Amino acid sequence: MIRSHEAGTLRPEHAGTTVTLAGWVARRRDHGGVAFIDLRDASGTVQVVVRDLEAVSELRSEWCVKVVGDVRVRPEGNANAEIPTGEIEVVVSELTVLSEAAPLPFQVAEYEPGSVNEEVRLRYRYLDLRREGPARALRLRSRATHLIRTVMEENGYLDIETPYLTRSTPEGARDFLVPVRLQPGHWYALPQSPQLFKQLLMVAGMERYYQIARCFRDEDFRADRQPEFTQLDVEASFVDQEDILELGEKVVARIWSEVHGYDVPTPLPRLTYADAMARYGSDKPDVRFGNELTDLTAYFAGTEFRVFQAPYVGAVVMPGGASQPRKQLDAWQDWAKARGARGLAYILVDEDGSLRGPVAKNLSEEHLSGLAAAAGAKPGDAVFFAAGKKTPSQELLGAARLEIGRRCDLIDESAWAFLWVVDFPMFEPIEDDKGEFQGWHAVHHPFTAPTAESLETFDKDPGNALSNAYDLVLNGSEIGGGSIRIHQKDVQKRAFDAIGLSEEEAQSQFGFLLNAFDFGPPPHGGIALGLDRLVALLGGYETIRDVMAFPKTSTGGDPLTGAPTPITAQQRKEAGVDAKPRSEQPEG
RNA sequence: GGCCUCGUGGAGCAGUUGGUUAGCUCGCCACCCUGUCAAGGUGGAGGUCGCGGGUUCAAGUCCCGUCGAGGUCGCCA
């Protein structure tokens, strides 16, 4: 090593020792005869004092330097309590410039972090990551992955890699495709997840598999979505749902305990999907606050009001919402319309308990009199209603509940609200543009096992079938999900039948997996945790871009490398992008 | 694919109902300065306002288009 100590580790007990440091010039305070340099390396920063050295006036921010000097306690009154090394300084006897830096595109040593445009930061990500905040995110991520590996190894799981160049499978997200030079016209797909491979590993008798795996999905971006992202992918044989949930809890409990000293209360609370939808209008409820939905379908039975003559009528209260000006109430309508709803009916509860608003005029005295109590509203509150098909109405109210939580400051930002959502429906209806029923679609994936209760009936009554699928939710974000898989051939066939997948289609799409299942597949199940989102939540970051070393922008570009780029005619020819496949076009 | 917001020297922002040489902070360059720690002082360089078109006597400012960035809905088994 060309240095003897790390800058951020020096303390008063090092006083009197001669040290060699190497790092970057974070700041320079040149007083002429004496100059101070804040020397930064990965461990932190230390003040370096330079006297009567010509070279110091040449130094500029972010030059890479080596210094030799003596550590000493700072003179009386000059200590800086703000920084860990503030009691000492290094008096330099020798200064070497290791490399120079061009004028910076933005200030690396920023007084107010976060004030630089993200695109600029990404273009110079190597400078951005020199800063404490961004660097801390990657350190946190490394810590989390290390803890994950520790827990997985402790529990006897094998880290096994699966291919990134694989075959395109239908359903789910759009695949990223890779042309194959040796077979012009044929394409690999990048895996949306290692799902099928991990099931093959179960057939292979590996029994306990995990992988911190990169996944690829060609869909539009969000703050918590990137085209390539990382999952902790897990699969185990001879397990039931309880085993997987317990393992998932071990993982998050260890991480939160080590990182935050927070004891995750295990076993975690569980909500059925049906309860989550009924109470929170979401399959990933944020339970850091209450303000639950109320089901008023029965309450409004027999109402004259057309809008409320619906299969579901529900409500959510906005505390203090009665004092909102008309303009704001109109804004709620626009908000609801932006989510595809017709609007958001509301009633205002005045301080004297009387109800007003457009909807109030349409309700009978009988329905009005008990309404505030039925909805759980107090004087001064507003009540929002959704009426119509059950699930979309609940989702609208659930979104309203979250918006209310934010606007009314109901959310306990310091809370870690973990929970499992279980008993997901096995299928959901597919509807066309007009809302007409078209068929059934697997909610999780077509290999998800029905619950014991649904085993006999799931294909006869798909709408009510429940599956052995579960999601791990933290503070209103889904951080993982999985299921117990089907391992019996006849059950699998019935599941394919239910979603209208013929034997031929199943064979052509998943044939390799079905063939494997001819050879004594063990009962198995697993889970995948979204690592990026998990670390973002762990560290309080707003976007998963913060916890990725080189993330992409919302159009899939990387401002640093300039990817993606056009390819040359030669590359195009070699890749066989335009070649016709030898075999027939696949359907669809 | 829809909707919303943003795009002004290297960075972050301001720019009033469209009206003279586009302003501020930081950074940059030069010089001064022996105890600062967001060091300080003096002086200086650097932008024609993402791009294209239009309205107007006059556009950073209004309109249309386009590109880029962010958010959101759709989408994401």
PDB file of all heavy atoms in Angstrom, chain A residues 27 30 51 78 89 107 117 444 554, chain B residues 10 12 26 35-37 39 70 77:
ATOM      1  N   ARG A  27     -11.239  20.004  -0.037  1.00  0.00           N
ATOM      2  CA  ARG A  27     -11.276  21.470   0.033  1.00  0.00           C
ATOM      3  C   ARG A  27      -9.883  21.982   0.305  1.00  0.00           C
ATOM      4  O   ARG A  27      -9.051  21.291   0.898  1.00  0.00           O
ATOM      5  CB  ARG A  27     -12.209  21.925   1.163  1.00  0.00           C
ATOM      6  CG  ARG A  27     -13.669  21.901   0.774  1.00  0.00           C
ATOM      7  CD  ARG A  27     -14.447  22.911   1.604  1.00  0.00           C
ATOM      8  NE  ARG A  27     -15.741  23.184   1.002  1.00  0.00           N
ATOM      9  CZ  ARG A  27     -16.815  22.419   1.193  1.00  0.00           C
ATOM     10  NH1 ARG A  27     -16.745  21.362   1.952  1.00  0.00           N
ATOM     11  NH2 ARG A  27     -17.951  22.732   0.617  1.00  0.00           N
ATOM     12  N   ASP A  30      -6.362  28.246   1.490  1.00  0.00           N
ATOM     13  CA  ASP A  30      -4.992  28.728   1.339  1.00  0.00           C
ATOM     14  C   ASP A  30      -4.868  30.116   1.945  1.00  0.00           C
ATOM     15  O   ASP A  30      -5.483  31.060   1.471  1.00  0.00           O
ATOM     16  CB  ASP A  30      -4.641  28.749  -0.162  1.00  0.00           C
ATOM     17  CG  ASP A  30      -3.159  29.012  -0.392  1.00  0.00           C
ATOM     18  OD1 ASP A  30      -2.476  29.385   0.577  1.00  0.00           O
ATOM     19  OD2 ASP A  30      -2.710  28.841  -1.535  1.00  0.00           O
ATOM     20  N   ARG A  51       2.702  24.114   5.294  1.00  0.00           N
ATOM     21  CA  ARG A  51       3.377  25.398   5.490  1.00  0.00           C
ATOM     22  C   ARG A  51       4.511  25.529   4.496  1.00  0.00           C
ATOM     23  O   ARG A  51       5.275  24.591   4.286  1.00  0.00           O
ATOM     24  CB  ARG A  51       3.994  25.469   6.889  1.00  0.00           C
ATOM     25  CG  ARG A  51       2.994  25.715   7.974  1.00  0.00           C
ATOM     26  CD  ARG A  51       3.677  25.667   9.344  1.00  0.00           C
ATOM     27  NE  ARG A  51       2.679  25.431  10.362  1.00  0.00           N
ATOM     28  CZ  ARG A  51       1.906  26.391  10.864  1.00  0.00           C
ATOM     29  NH1 ARG A  51       2.031  27.615  10.451  1.00  0.00           N
ATOM     30  NH2 ARG A  51       0.997  26.098  11.772  1.00  0.00           N
ATOM     31  N   ASN A  78      -8.753  25.190  18.177  1.00  0.00           N
ATOM     32  CA  ASN A  78      -8.897  24.945  16.741  1.00  0.00           C
ATOM     33  C   ASN A  78      -9.548  23.604  16.399  1.00  0.00           C
ATOM     34  O   ASN A  78      -9.666  23.247  15.233  1.00  0.00           O
ATOM     35  CB  ASN A  78      -7.541  25.034  16.053  1.00  0.00           C
ATOM     36  CG  ASN A  78      -7.137  26.469  15.789  1.00  0.00           C
ATOM     37  OD1 ASN A  78      -7.870  27.212  15.144  1.00  0.00           O
ATOM     38  ND2 ASN A  78      -6.002  26.876  16.316  1.00  0.00           N
ATOM     39  N   GLU A  89      -4.844  16.980  13.351  1.00  0.00           N
ATOM     40  CA  GLU A  89      -4.517  17.380  11.984  1.00  0.00           C
ATOM     41  C   GLU A  89      -3.181  16.752  11.628  1.00  0.00           C
ATOM     42  O   GLU A  89      -2.465  16.255  12.501  1.00  0.00           O
ATOM     43  CB  GLU A  89      -4.456  18.900  11.869  1.00  0.00           C
ATOM     44  CG  GLU A  89      -3.402  19.548  12.757  1.00  0.00           C
ATOM     45  CD  GLU A  89      -3.546  21.066  12.823  1.00  0.00           C
ATOM     46  OE1 GLU A  89      -4.552  21.592  12.324  1.00  0.00           O
ATOM     47  OE2 GLU A  89      -2.638  21.718  13.377  1.00  0.00           O
ATOM     48  N   GLN A 107     -19.706  20.714  -8.171  1.00  0.00           N
ATOM     49  CA  GLN A 107     -18.876  20.667  -6.978  1.00  0.00           C
ATOM     50  C   GLN A 107     -19.063  19.336  -6.271  1.00  0.00           C
ATOM     51  O   GLN A 107     -20.173  18.972  -5.888  1.00  0.00           O
ATOM     52  CB  GLN A 107     -19.248  21.807  -6.053  1.00  0.00           C
ATOM     53  CG  GLN A 107     -18.708  23.137  -6.535  1.00  0.00           C
ATOM     54  CD  GLN A 107     -19.378  24.289  -5.845  1.00  0.00           C
ATOM     55  OE1 GLN A 107     -20.275  24.906  -6.414  1.00  0.00           O
ATOM     56  NE2 GLN A 107     -18.957  24.564  -4.635  1.00  0.00           N
ATOM     57  N   ASN A 117     -28.463  18.454 -10.552  1.00  0.00           N
ATOM     58  CA  ASN A 117     -29.333  17.727 -11.448  1.00  0.00           C
ATOM     59  C   ASN A 117     -28.887  16.273 -11.606  1.00  0.00           C
ATOM     60  O   ASN A 117     -27.719  15.984 -11.800  1.00  0.00           O
ATOM     61  CB  ASN A 117     -29.290  18.441 -12.795  1.00  0.00           C
ATOM     62  CG  ASN A 117     -30.198  17.809 -13.800  1.00  0.00           C
ATOM     63  OD1 ASN A 117     -29.859  16.780 -14.373  1.00  0.00           O
ATOM     64  ND2 ASN A 117     -31.345  18.396 -13.993  1.00  0.00           N
ATOM     65  N   HIS A 444     -50.282 -14.675 -10.172  1.00  0.00           N
ATOM     66  CA  HIS A 444     -48.847 -14.774  -9.891  1.00  0.00           C
ATOM     67  C   HIS A 444     -48.152 -15.330 -11.129  1.00  0.00           C
ATOM     68  O   HIS A 444     -47.655 -14.605 -11.956  1.00  0.00           O
ATOM     69  CB  HIS A 444     -48.635 -15.646  -8.651  1.00  0.00           C
ATOM     70  CG  HIS A 444     -47.248 -15.587  -8.114  1.00  0.00           C
ATOM     71  ND1 HIS A 444     -46.675 -14.423  -7.664  1.00  0.00           N
ATOM     72  CD2 HIS A 444     -46.322 -16.545  -7.940  1.00  0.00           C
ATOM     73  CE1 HIS A 444     -45.437 -14.674  -7.254  1.00  0.00           C
ATOM     74  NE2 HIS A 444     -45.202 -15.947  -7.403  1.00  0.00           N
ATOM     75  N   SER A 554     -35.027   7.556 -17.503  1.00  0.00           N
ATOM     76  CA  SER A 554     -36.360   7.011 -17.728  1.00  0.00           C
ATOM     77  C   SER A 554     -36.604   6.543 -19.150  1.00  0.00           C
ATOM     78  O   SER A 554     -37.600   5.906 -19.441  1.00  0.00           O
ATOM     79  CB  SER A 554     -37.417   8.031 -17.340  1.00  0.00           C
ATOM     80  OG  SER A 554     -37.413   9.082 -18.275  1.00  0.00           O
TER      81      SER A 554
ATOM     82  P     G B  10     -21.432  26.522 -19.974  1.00  0.00           P
ATOM     83  OP1   G B  10     -20.523  26.391 -21.116  1.00  0.00           O
ATOM     84  OP2   G B  10     -22.837  26.060 -20.099  1.00  0.00           O
ATOM     85  O5'   G B  10     -20.781  25.776 -18.727  1.00  0.00           O
ATOM     86  C5'   G B  10     -20.365  24.426 -18.850  1.00  0.00           C
ATOM     87  C4'   G B  10     -20.071  23.849 -17.494  1.00  0.00           C
ATOM     88  O4'   G B  10     -19.049  24.650 -16.849  1.00  0.00           O
ATOM     89  C3'   G B  10     -21.233  23.873 -16.516  1.00  0.00           C
ATOM     90  O3'   G B  10     -22.103  22.782 -16.696  1.00  0.00           O
ATOM     91  C2'   G B  10     -20.511  23.830 -15.180  1.00  0.00           C
ATOM     92  O2'   G B  10     -20.058  22.527 -14.890  1.00  0.00           O
ATOM     93  C1'   G B  10     -19.305  24.719 -15.459  1.00  0.00           C
ATOM     94  N9    G B  10     -19.549  26.132 -15.117  1.00  0.00           N
ATOM     95  C8    G B  10     -19.540  27.208 -15.962  1.00  0.00           C
ATOM     96  N7    G B  10     -19.808  28.333 -15.363  1.00  0.00           N
ATOM     97  C5    G B  10     -20.013  27.992 -14.034  1.00  0.00           C
ATOM     98  C6    G B  10     -20.331  28.793 -12.913  1.00  0.00           C
ATOM     99  O6    G B  10     -20.524  29.996 -12.856  1.00  0.00           O
ATOM    100  N1    G B  10     -20.461  28.030 -11.769  1.00  0.00           N
ATOM    101  C2    G B  10     -20.286  26.665 -11.713  1.00  0.00           C
ATOM    102  N2    G B  10     -20.449  26.109 -10.512  1.00  0.00           N
ATOM    103  N3    G B  10     -19.985  25.893 -12.746  1.00  0.00           N
ATOM    104  C4    G B  10     -19.863  26.629 -13.874  1.00  0.00           C
ATOM    105  P     G B  12     -27.458  21.888 -12.437  1.00  0.00           P
ATOM    106  OP1   G B  12     -28.224  20.627 -12.358  1.00  0.00           O
ATOM    107  OP2   G B  12     -27.502  22.702 -13.675  1.00  0.00           O
ATOM    108  O5'   G B  12     -27.871  22.823 -11.223  1.00  0.00           O
ATOM    109  C5'   G B  12     -27.968  22.271  -9.915  1.00  0.00           C
ATOM    110  C4'   G B  12     -28.334  23.342  -8.924  1.00  0.00           C
ATOM    111  O4'   G B  12     -27.282  24.338  -8.875  1.00  0.00           O
ATOM    112  C3'   G B  12     -29.571  24.159  -9.281  1.00  0.00           C
ATOM    113  O3'   G B  12     -30.768  23.485  -8.956  1.00  0.00           O
ATOM    114  C2'   G B  12     -29.354  25.411  -8.444  1.00  0.00           C
ATOM    115  O2'   G B  12     -29.663  25.183  -7.085  1.00  0.00           O
ATOM    116  C1'   G B  12     -27.847  25.609  -8.596  1.00  0.00           C
ATOM    117  N9    G B  12     -27.547  26.508  -9.718  1.00  0.00           N
ATOM    118  C8    G B  12     -27.260  26.174 -11.021  1.00  0.00           C
ATOM    119  N7    G B  12     -27.057  27.213 -11.779  1.00  0.00           N
ATOM    120  C5    G B  12     -27.221  28.298 -10.937  1.00  0.00           C
ATOM    121  C6    G B  12     -27.123  29.697 -11.193  1.00  0.00           C
ATOM    122  O6    G B  12     -26.872  30.275 -12.236  1.00  0.00           O
ATOM    123  N1    G B  12     -27.372  30.439 -10.041  1.00  0.00           N
ATOM    124  C2    G B  12     -27.674  29.922  -8.811  1.00  0.00           C
ATOM    125  N2    G B  12     -27.890  30.804  -7.827  1.00  0.00           N
ATOM    126  N3    G B  12     -27.767  28.627  -8.562  1.00  0.00           N
ATOM    127  C4    G B  12     -27.527  27.881  -9.655  1.00  0.00           C
ATOM    128  P     C B  26     -20.822  33.363  -3.224  1.00  0.00           P
ATOM    129  OP1   C B  26     -20.233  33.454  -1.868  1.00  0.00           O
ATOM    130  OP2   C B  26     -20.438  34.324  -4.273  1.00  0.00           O
ATOM    131  O5'   C B  26     -20.572  31.889  -3.788  1.00  0.00           O
ATOM    132  C5'   C B  26     -20.747  30.761  -2.949  1.00  0.00           C
ATOM    133  C4'   C B  26     -20.683  29.490  -3.759  1.00  0.00           C
ATOM    134  O4'   C B  26     -21.678  29.534  -4.816  1.00  0.00           O
ATOM    135  C3'   C B  26     -19.396  29.224  -4.519  1.00  0.00           C
ATOM    136  O3'   C B  26     -18.362  28.731  -3.686  1.00  0.00           O
ATOM    137  C2'   C B  26     -19.858  28.179  -5.521  1.00  0.00           C
ATOM    138  O2'   C B  26     -20.016  26.920  -4.912  1.00  0.00           O
ATOM    139  C1'   C B  26     -21.243  28.726  -5.895  1.00  0.00           C
ATOM    140  N1    C B  26     -21.152  29.548  -7.123  1.00  0.00           N
ATOM    141  C2    C B  26     -21.068  28.858  -8.349  1.00  0.00           C
ATOM    142  O2    C B  26     -21.094  27.624  -8.332  1.00  0.00           O
ATOM    143  N3    C B  26     -20.959  29.561  -9.494  1.00  0.00           N
ATOM    144  C4    C B  26     -20.929  30.893  -9.461  1.00  0.00           C
ATOM    145  N4    C B  26     -20.821  31.535 -10.618  1.00  0.00           N
ATOM    146  C5    C B  26     -21.007  31.620  -8.232  1.00  0.00           C
ATOM    147  C6    C B  26     -21.119  30.911  -7.099  1.00  0.00           C
ATOM    148  P     G B  35      -3.526  33.600  10.373  1.00  0.00           P
ATOM    149  OP1   G B  35      -4.353  34.501   9.542  1.00  0.00           O
ATOM    150  OP2   G B  35      -2.856  34.107  11.578  1.00  0.00           O
ATOM    151  O5'   G B  35      -4.382  32.349  10.801  1.00  0.00           O
ATOM    152  C5'   G B  35      -5.385  31.835   9.945  1.00  0.00           C
ATOM    153  C4'   G B  35      -6.046  30.679  10.635  1.00  0.00           C
ATOM    154  O4'   G B  35      -5.143  29.550  10.599  1.00  0.00           O
ATOM    155  C3'   G B  35      -6.386  30.940  12.098  1.00  0.00           C
ATOM    156  O3'   G B  35      -7.625  30.340  12.418  1.00  0.00           O
ATOM    157  C2'   G B  35      -5.285  30.189  12.836  1.00  0.00           C
ATOM    158  O2'   G B  35      -5.687  29.730  14.108  1.00  0.00           O
ATOM    159  C1'   G B  35      -5.040  29.017  11.894  1.00  0.00           C
ATOM    160  N9    G B  35      -3.734  28.365  12.026  1.00  0.00           N
ATOM    161  C8    G B  35      -2.487  28.886  11.877  1.00  0.00           C
ATOM    162  N7    G B  35      -1.528  28.011  12.044  1.00  0.00           N
ATOM    163  C5    G B  35      -2.195  26.832  12.338  1.00  0.00           C
ATOM    164  C6    G B  35      -1.702  25.547  12.627  1.00  0.00           C
ATOM    165  O6    G B  35      -0.528  25.167  12.668  1.00  0.00           O
ATOM    166  N1    G B  35      -2.715  24.646  12.867  1.00  0.00           N
ATOM    167  C2    G B  35      -4.041  24.939  12.845  1.00  0.00           C
ATOM    168  N2    G B  35      -4.866  23.955  13.109  1.00  0.00           N
ATOM    169  N3    G B  35      -4.539  26.143  12.577  1.00  0.00           N
ATOM    170  C4    G B  35      -3.556  27.031  12.340  1.00  0.00           C
ATOM    171  P     U B  36      -8.971  31.160  12.493  1.00  0.00           P
ATOM    172  OP1   U B  36      -8.732  32.596  12.272  1.00  0.00           O
ATOM    173  OP2   U B  36      -9.690  30.697  13.704  1.00  0.00           O
ATOM    174  O5'   U B  36      -9.757  30.584  11.243  1.00  0.00           O
ATOM    175  C5'   U B  36      -9.688  31.251   9.992  1.00  0.00           C
ATOM    176  C4'   U B  36      -9.714  30.233   8.882  1.00  0.00           C
ATOM    177  O4'   U B  36      -8.564  29.360   9.000  1.00  0.00           O
ATOM    178  C3'   U B  36     -10.905  29.287   8.895  1.00  0.00           C
ATOM    179  O3'   U B  36     -12.053  29.878   8.326  1.00  0.00           O
ATOM    180  C2'   U B  36     -10.377  28.131   8.060  1.00  0.00           C
ATOM    181  O2'   U B  36     -10.422  28.434   6.691  1.00  0.00           O
ATOM    182  C1'   U B  36      -8.909  28.077   8.490  1.00  0.00           C
ATOM    183  N1    U B  36      -8.669  27.064   9.525  1.00  0.00           N
ATOM    184  C2    U B  36      -8.613  25.741   9.121  1.00  0.00           C
ATOM    185  O2    U B  36      -8.760  25.421   7.968  1.00  0.00           O
ATOM    186  N3    U B  36      -8.403  24.836  10.114  1.00  0.00           N
ATOM    187  C4    U B  36      -8.224  25.101  11.449  1.00  0.00           C
ATOM    188  O4    U B  36      -8.034  24.159  12.233  1.00  0.00           O
ATOM    189  C5    U B  36      -8.289  26.487  11.796  1.00  0.00           C
ATOM    190  C6    U B  36      -8.505  27.407  10.844  1.00  0.00           C
ATOM    191  P     C B  37     -13.497  29.477   8.891  1.00  0.00           P
ATOM    192  OP1   C B  37     -14.478  30.231   8.084  1.00  0.00           O
ATOM    193  OP2   C B  37     -13.514  29.582  10.372  1.00  0.00           O
ATOM    194  O5'   C B  37     -13.622  27.937   8.535  1.00  0.00           O
ATOM    195  C5'   C B  37     -13.690  27.520   7.169  1.00  0.00           C
ATOM    196  C4'   C B  37     -13.609  26.013   7.112  1.00  0.00           C
ATOM    197  O4'   C B  37     -12.392  25.568   7.745  1.00  0.00           O
ATOM    198  C3'   C B  37     -14.707  25.292   7.871  1.00  0.00           C
ATOM    199  O3'   C B  37     -15.820  25.169   7.028  1.00  0.00           O
ATOM    200  C2'   C B  37     -14.076  23.938   8.163  1.00  0.00           C
ATOM    201  O2'   C B  37     -14.154  23.071   7.056  1.00  0.00           O
ATOM    202  C1'   C B  37     -12.603  24.316   8.355  1.00  0.00           C
ATOM    203  N1    C B  37     -12.202  24.413   9.762  1.00  0.00           N
ATOM    204  C2    C B  37     -11.868  23.236  10.442  1.00  0.00           C
ATOM    205  O2    C B  37     -11.954  22.161   9.837  1.00  0.00           O
ATOM    206  N3    C B  37     -11.474  23.319  11.730  1.00  0.00           N
ATOM    207  C4    C B  37     -11.409  24.498  12.333  1.00  0.00           C
ATOM    208  N4    C B  37     -11.003  24.517  13.605  1.00  0.00           N
ATOM    209  C5    C B  37     -11.746  25.718  11.660  1.00  0.00           C
ATOM    210  C6    C B  37     -12.143  25.635  10.390  1.00  0.00           C
ATOM    211  P     A B  39     -14.525  26.095   2.442  1.00  0.00           P
ATOM    212  OP1   A B  39     -14.160  26.412   1.051  1.00  0.00           O
ATOM    213  OP2   A B  39     -14.109  24.839   3.044  1.00  0.00           O
ATOM    214  O5'   A B  39     -14.016  27.250   3.425  1.00  0.00           O
ATOM    215  C5'   A B  39     -13.830  28.541   2.918  1.00  0.00           C
ATOM    216  C4'   A B  39     -13.631  29.482   4.061  1.00  0.00           C
ATOM    217  O4'   A B  39     -12.290  29.311   4.620  1.00  0.00           O
ATOM    218  C3'   A B  39     -13.678  30.948   3.679  1.00  0.00           C
ATOM    219  O3'   A B  39     -14.998  31.424   3.573  1.00  0.00           O
ATOM    220  C2'   A B  39     -12.924  31.583   4.848  1.00  0.00           C
ATOM    221  O2'   A B  39     -13.717  31.615   6.011  1.00  0.00           O
ATOM    222  C1'   A B  39     -11.792  30.556   5.042  1.00  0.00           C
ATOM    223  N9    A B  39     -10.626  30.893   4.210  1.00  0.00           N
ATOM    224  C8    A B  39     -10.159  30.254   3.091  1.00  0.00           C
ATOM    225  N7    A B  39      -9.106  30.794   2.554  1.00  0.00           N
ATOM    226  C5    A B  39      -8.852  31.892   3.383  1.00  0.00           C
ATOM    227  C6    A B  39      -7.868  32.886   3.346  1.00  0.00           C
ATOM    228  N6    A B  39      -6.909  32.936   2.439  1.00  0.00           N
ATOM    229  N1    A B  39      -7.903  33.834   4.313  1.00  0.00           N
ATOM    230  C2    A B  39      -8.877  33.773   5.241  1.00  0.00           C
ATOM    231  N3    A B  39      -9.856  32.882   5.372  1.00  0.00           N
ATOM    232  C4    A B  39      -9.787  31.956   4.406  1.00  0.00           C
ATOM    233  P     G B  70     -34.753  10.538 -15.930  1.00  0.00           P
ATOM    234  OP1   G B  70     -33.878   9.642 -15.137  1.00  0.00           O
ATOM    235  OP2   G B  70     -35.499  10.007 -17.090  1.00  0.00           O
ATOM    236  O5'   G B  70     -35.793  11.234 -14.962  1.00  0.00           O
ATOM    237  C5'   G B  70     -35.341  11.779 -13.725  1.00  0.00           C
ATOM    238  C4'   G B  70     -36.469  12.511 -13.052  1.00  0.00           C
ATOM    239  O4'   G B  70     -36.921  13.603 -13.897  1.00  0.00           O
ATOM    240  C3'   G B  70     -37.741  11.721 -12.810  1.00  0.00           C
ATOM    241  O3'   G B  70     -37.653  10.872 -11.679  1.00  0.00           O
ATOM    242  C2'   G B  70     -38.759  12.833 -12.616  1.00  0.00           C
ATOM    243  O2'   G B  70     -38.625  13.439 -11.347  1.00  0.00           O
ATOM    244  C1'   G B  70     -38.305  13.825 -13.689  1.00  0.00           C
ATOM    245  N9    G B  70     -39.019  13.584 -14.948  1.00  0.00           N
ATOM    246  C8    G B  70     -38.584  12.926 -16.071  1.00  0.00           C
ATOM    247  N7    G B  70     -39.484  12.878 -17.020  1.00  0.00           N
ATOM    248  C5    G B  70     -40.584  13.539 -16.492  1.00  0.00           C
ATOM    249  C6    G B  70     -41.870  13.805 -17.036  1.00  0.00           C
ATOM    250  O6    G B  70     -42.304  13.500 -18.154  1.00  0.00           O
ATOM    251  N1    G B  70     -42.679  14.501 -16.146  1.00  0.00           N
ATOM    252  C2    G B  70     -42.302  14.898 -14.883  1.00  0.00           C
ATOM    253  N2    G B  70     -43.208  15.553 -14.167  1.00  0.00           N
ATOM    254  N3    G B  70     -41.107  14.660 -14.354  1.00  0.00           N
ATOM    255  C4    G B  70     -40.309  13.984 -15.209  1.00  0.00           C
ATOM    256  P     A B  77     -45.128  -8.950 -14.042  1.00  0.00           P
ATOM    257  OP1   A B  77     -46.105  -8.268 -13.191  1.00  0.00           O
ATOM    258  OP2   A B  77     -43.868  -9.405 -13.476  1.00  0.00           O
ATOM    259  O5'   A B  77     -45.824 -10.198 -14.730  1.00  0.00           O
ATOM    260  C5'   A B  77     -47.027 -10.039 -15.459  1.00  0.00           C
ATOM    261  C4'   A B  77     -47.771 -11.338 -15.513  1.00  0.00           C
ATOM    262  O4'   A B  77     -46.848 -12.369 -15.896  1.00  0.00           O
ATOM    263  C3'   A B  77     -48.390 -11.784 -14.180  1.00  0.00           C
ATOM    264  O3'   A B  77     -49.633 -12.429 -14.478  1.00  0.00           O
ATOM    265  C2'   A B  77     -47.406 -12.788 -13.668  1.00  0.00           C
ATOM    266  O2'   A B  77     -47.953 -13.743 -12.833  1.00  0.00           O
ATOM    267  C1'   A B  77     -46.921 -13.433 -14.960  1.00  0.00           C
ATOM    268  N9    A B  77     -45.620 -14.077 -14.899  1.00  0.00           N
ATOM    269  C8    A B  77     -45.245 -15.184 -15.629  1.00  0.00           C
ATOM    270  N7    A B  77     -44.026 -15.585 -15.398  1.00  0.00           N
ATOM    271  C5    A B  77     -43.579 -14.701 -14.441  1.00  0.00           C
ATOM    272  C6    A B  77     -42.359 -14.591 -13.773  1.00  0.00           C
ATOM    273  N6    A B  77     -41.316 -15.420 -13.975  1.00  0.00           N
ATOM    274  N1    A B  77     -42.224 -13.625 -12.882  1.00  0.00           N
ATOM    275  C2    A B  77     -43.245 -12.785 -12.688  1.00  0.00           C
ATOM    276  N3    A B  77     -44.427 -12.764 -13.260  1.00  0.00           N
ATOM    277  C4    A B  77     -44.542 -13.759 -14.135  1.00  0.00           C
TER     278        A B  77
END
